[in-house]
Amino acid sequence: MGLLEGKRLLITGVITDASIAFSVAKIAQENGATVGLTGFGRMSLVERIAKRLPETPPVLELDVTDDDHLAGLADQVREHLGADAHLDGVVHSIAYGNPETLLGGKFLTGPWPDVSQAVQVSAYSLMSLARACRPLMSSGGSVVGLTFDASVAWPAYDWMGVAKAGLESCSRYLARDLGPDGIRCNLVAAGPLRTMAAKAIPGFEDLESMWAGRAPLGWDNTDQEPTAKAVCALLSDFFPATTGEIVHVDGGFHAMGA
């Protein structure tokens, strides 16, 4: 029996088969879960990528900044997974910051409209997504998001670092407010991975170069599987009393001083 046998999961953020969310969906299916994906904008691309999974899942359209999309999400899930459908887990793998104005050394010049967009898409949306899925999680469950350690300032990351700090704080407050419903909320802090989002960050190679000599377990920036496995573990029943936590999957880099 797989780690996620019988679980129903909603996974956001699958853009390519190199994305962390794709690896989460693949490993979840291999461990017995029924998976639904969400996409926005390039729906045909997401649907094409979905076919590369072991079983082709339904793809739901969701813009996390659109109140109508969020209000209709529960009905969309029921339409695709059954009228009595419930969710056992939700994966938040959504982030955006304009690379031309917010990243690559532009912290002091980042304009508020772009900053507010980054915070809404990358941090506030965790609450929006969890709130939209809450009616489907009456029996409890797990919300898992993805972050890049926001406890320090990083080269090039600038306003996305601020947005991720907001995400991490948001997760703690969700843990507080959803805990009475039996819903856990945790984050996985991955080391730098060569995803499409990472490639859009000017100077991202500076972050990557730090890991080579300092991560005691080493770090493969092309391997999403360790991060995806951690997400799946948090979605499972093996962490029944863990919430408000940030699990680092970075080869141990975060624990080293130099």
Side-chain angles (χ1 to χ4, degrees):
M1 180 177 292
L3 187 69
L4 295 170
E5 192 71 35
K7 299 290 187 187
R8 292 187 178 188
L9 309 176
L10 185 68
I11 300 175
T12 67
V14 175
I15 300 175
T16 72
D17 53 8
S19 64
I20 298 170
F22 180 89
S23 291
V24 172
K26 180 175 181 292
I27 291 171
Q29 285 188 342
E30 291 171 347
N31 279 272
T34 298
V35 168
L37 307 181
T38 75
F40 175 68
R42 294 175 292 180
M43 292 297 292
S44 60
L45 174 60
V46 181
E47 290 166 355
R48 187 163 66 249
I49 296 299
K51 294 177 181 178
R52 300 180 185 177
L53 289 166
E55 297 180 18
T56 302
V59 178
L60 290 59
E61 185 174 15
L62 176 65
D63 175 359
V64 291
T65 68
D66 187 314
D67 289 342
D68 290 337
H69 279 213
L70 290 162
L73 180 59
D75 287 338
Q76 272 208 83
V77 171
R78 294 187 185 103
E79 179 183 343
H80 287 86
L81 297 182
D84 60 344
H86 67 278
L87 288 177
D88 301 291
V90 180
V91 177
H92 179 279
S93 183
I94 302 169
Y96 177 75
N98 188 338
E100 296 182 2
T101 60
L102 301 182
L103 305 170
K106 301 182 180 69
F107 182 77
L108 293 176
T109 58
W112 172 243
D114 289 357
V115 171
S116 64
Q117 180 190 40
V119 171
Q120 181 181 16
V121 175
S122 308
Y124 184 82
S125 65
L126 178 65
M127 185 281 295
S128 300
L129 180 65
R131 183 176 61 191
C133 292
R134 189 181 185 185
L136 298 169
M137 304 178 79
S138 59
S139 299
S142 176
V143 177
V144 184
L146 290 159
T147 188
F148 187 75
D149 188 358
S151 63
V152 297
W154 296 103
Y157 211 43
D158 298 329
W159 281 104
M160 275 307 300
V162 176
K164 288 296 187 182
L167 176 74
E168 293 176 7
S169 183
C170 182
S171 178
R172 290 187 286 270
Y173 280 96
L174 281 172
R176 180 195 69 182
D177 288 356
L178 297 182
D181 295 339
I183 300 172
R184 297 167 281 126
C185 188
N186 297 287
L187 299 178
V188 172
L193 291 166
R194 283 192 170 272
T195 61
M196 179 180 291
K199 291 175 183 177
I201 300 174
F204 184 76
E205 62 276 2
D206 293 335
L207 293 175
E208 291 182 313
S209 65
M210 296 179 186
W211 258 253
R214 285 183 52 190
L217 290 176
W219 184 250
D220 182 351
N221 59 24
T222 65
D223 185 6
Q224 286 79 21
E225 187 171 294
T227 303
K229 284 183 174 179
V231 172
C232 287
L234 288 169
L235 291 168
S236 78
D237 295 330
F238 273 68
F239 285 86
T242 298
T243 195
E245 186 60 86
I246 300 175
V247 177
H248 290 80
V249 181
D250 63 356
F253 180 96
H254 72 283
M256 301 297 107

